[in-house]
């Protein structure tokens, strides 16, 4: 007897016409190819029939109940990627529309392409904005402010707020005025304009006390505050000073959130510099104990300690990657710390084998200490030294790519009668050549070509990094017009040791030592705001008293040139 298992294979197959009772018409090749689904879609949507029966009751995570409701059954992977790209471009149009104020239809395609280039360039960590030539530094608006008569040691910004610290243990919060907008109509232009308030408004201040050093529960500074930094999200302000304490403050009321003074966690020496990792609340602190410590402020906790320097660390800088740069002062090294990899790269400065002289035959000073360091991008950084030089470095080379000597010139040479007390001065000569002005402050806007430096010559100077990242070129002086005929690139005059400058009232814009600088842009097409901390003495000690100097701070509002056009572009 035959059964299903004993039938031939040809008889087991069911005929197409048996189920319906009528012959099924043959489909053309195009119809068969159109109805066929890609294997990947079949595997993803193999239970579509169940969802069709349930209708609106489909569970979350399927095509009907998820955000991708516009995904069709026959949509391929390439079509899905195309839709995501169109959606990304639409988001970019909305962002540009919010910034510029035009309709999406009026936005030029170049703006979208420019934004895409910026995203790629920032991901690669390279300079992509060349803005140094767009600002009118000579006609900057200036306003000075101060909390008290003590030396201002550091300054930090979190727009529209400014934070200053002084040697008398005072932390002060200021609010910057908003620059006025240009008149929108001719009637408004005819009306007399109100006086513009340029001086910041004091909001809050908190002061420490030296007697608190004997009280372990005291949550404040007990010695001079040397550095301050503010987080990008505006939640935290961090200070450090001679008392070895690292204090995290709430920006709203300047109440201390955490004081790191426990044994084994705090620094063993004065805290000299602070820097946030860009876009995060991860903090790096440098100290005179030759170490760098990392902190997570989201958890208000200590992370780890980095060892390697052989002298006091004077400055620290960081960008978005989990890396930081540090300047080792008298050990004349700069170290690039790769925190995740637990490695470091060492870049050595120092003297030269041959004796160097300038164009006048005067002996050039030797580099004795690297005091300032600043990241330009992930591959380039700058240093400032006590010999007055600014150096451009690449992470791929152990030696500096370019050296700009005597960026702020020299002090006038000592007179013989000021050195010797004898009546007859014939045959006497000055005991030493004129001293170079140290680089006491150095600031760079990340991923831009503009460099800002300060010393005690009374000026804040602007420099530009060339497009090939192999040279530093002078741009100008903030608030002063430099005579191009007699002034050299390093700020010295051909006939004297004093810079040749012209300004309203022939007055110095920054009288004293520029102890710190911070800068930010008021919108991508707005003015540039530079704030500087000034003092009669250096922030780290009273090695030099500047005659005519003032303690306090100064703010500059630098307008854009009328004919300037955006030079933002990606570096290939």
């Amino acid at each position: 007897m035959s059964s299903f298992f004993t039938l031939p294979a040809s008889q087991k197959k069911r005929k197409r016409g048996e189920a319906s009772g009528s012959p099924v018409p043959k489909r053309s090749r195009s119809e068969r190819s159109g109805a066929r689904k890609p294997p990947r879609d079949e595997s993803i949507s193999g239970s579509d029939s169940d969802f069709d029966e349930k209708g609106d009751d489909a569970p979350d995570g399927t095509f009907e109940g998820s955000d991708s409701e516009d995904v069709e059954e026959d949509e391929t992977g390439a079509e899905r990627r195309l839709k995501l790209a169109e959606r990304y471009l639409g988001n970019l149009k909305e962002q540009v529309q919010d910034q510029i104020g035009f309709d999406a239809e009026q936005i030029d395609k170049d703006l979208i392409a420019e934004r895409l280039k910026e995203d790629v360039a920032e991901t690669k960590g390279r300079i992509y904005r060349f803005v140094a030539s767009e600002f009118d530094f000579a006609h900057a608006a200036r306003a000075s402010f101060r909390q008290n008569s003590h030396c201002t040691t550091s300054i930090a910004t979190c727009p529209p707020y400014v934070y200053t610290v002084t040697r008398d243990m005072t932390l002060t919060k200021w609010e910057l005025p908003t620059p006025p907008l240009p008149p929108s109509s001719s009637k408004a232009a005819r009306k007399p304009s109100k006086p513009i308030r340029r001086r910041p408004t004091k909001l809050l201040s908190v002061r420490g006390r030296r007697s608190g050093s004997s009280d372990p529960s005291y949550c404040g500074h007990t010695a001079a505050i040397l550095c301050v930094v503010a987080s990008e999200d505006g939640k935290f302000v961090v200070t450090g000073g001679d008392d070895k304490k690292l204090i995290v403050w709430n920006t709203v009321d300047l109440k201390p959130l955490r004081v790191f003074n426990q044994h084994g966690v705090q620094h063993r020496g004065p805290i000299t510099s602070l820097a946030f990792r860009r876009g995060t609340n991860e903090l790096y602190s440098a100290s005179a104990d030759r170490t760098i410590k990392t902190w997570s402020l989201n958890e208000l906790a200590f992370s780890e300690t980095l060892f390697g320097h052989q002298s006091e660390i004077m400055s620290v800088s960081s960008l978005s990657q989990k890396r930081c740069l540090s300047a080792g002062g008298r050990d004349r090294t700069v170290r690039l710390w790769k925190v995740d990899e637990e490695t470091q790269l060492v870049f050595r400065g120092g003297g030269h084998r041959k004796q160097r002289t300038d164009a006048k035959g005067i002996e050039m000073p030797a580099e004795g200490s690297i005091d300032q360091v600043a990241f330009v991008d992930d591959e380039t950084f700058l240093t400032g030294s006590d010999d007055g030089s600014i150096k451009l470095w690449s992470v791929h080379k152990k030696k500096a790519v370019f050296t700009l000597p005597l960026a702020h010139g020299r002090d006038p040479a000592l007179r013989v009668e000021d050195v010797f007390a004898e009546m007859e001065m014939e045959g006497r000569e000055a005991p030493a050549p004129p001293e170079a002005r140290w680089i006491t402050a150095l600031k760079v806007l990340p991923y831009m070509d503009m460099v800002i430096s300060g010393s005690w010559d009374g000026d804040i100077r602007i420099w530009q990094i060339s497009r090939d990242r192999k040279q530093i070129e002078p741009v100008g002086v903030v608030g002063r017009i430099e005579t191009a005929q007699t002034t050299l690139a390093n700020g010295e005059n051909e006939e004297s040791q004093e810079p040749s400058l012209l300004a309203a009232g022939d007055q110095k814009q920054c009288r004293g030592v520029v102890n710190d600088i911070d800068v930010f842009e008021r919108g991508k097409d707005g003015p540039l705001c530079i704030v500087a901390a000034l003092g009669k003495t250096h922030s780290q000690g009273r090695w030099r008293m500047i005659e005519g100097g003032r303690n306090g701070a100064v703010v500059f509002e630098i307008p854009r040139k009328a004919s300037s056009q955006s030079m933002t572009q990606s570096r290939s």
Side-chain angles (χ1 to χ4, degrees), residues 176-211:
L176 290 171
T178 304
L181 297 175
S184 58
S185 62
S186 58
K187 293 182 179 179
R190 295 174 185 174
K191 296 181 180 179
S193 58
K194 298 181 180 180
I196 301 174
R197 181 176 64 88
R198 303 187 184 278
R199 181 170 297 179
T201 303
K202 178 183 173 181
L203 300 180
L204 294 170
S205 67
V206 58
R207 184 177 180 179
R209 51 186 175 88
R210 298 188 183 276
S211 60

Side-chain angles (χ1 to χ4, degrees), residues 132-152:
S133 59
E134 295 184 13
F135 295 98
D136 189 3
F137 295 100
H139 297 89
R142 175 186 178 277
S144 60
F145 59 101
R146 68 176 184 175
Q147 163 66 18
N148 48 39
S149 59
H150 292 266
C151 173
T152 305

Side-chain angles (χ1 to χ4, degrees), residues 38 41 126 231 262 410 429 448 506 553:
D41 289 348
R126 297 180 180 179
S231 61
Q262 301 84 3
R410 292 188 179 95
E429 295 181 358
M448 300 187 191
D506 192 23

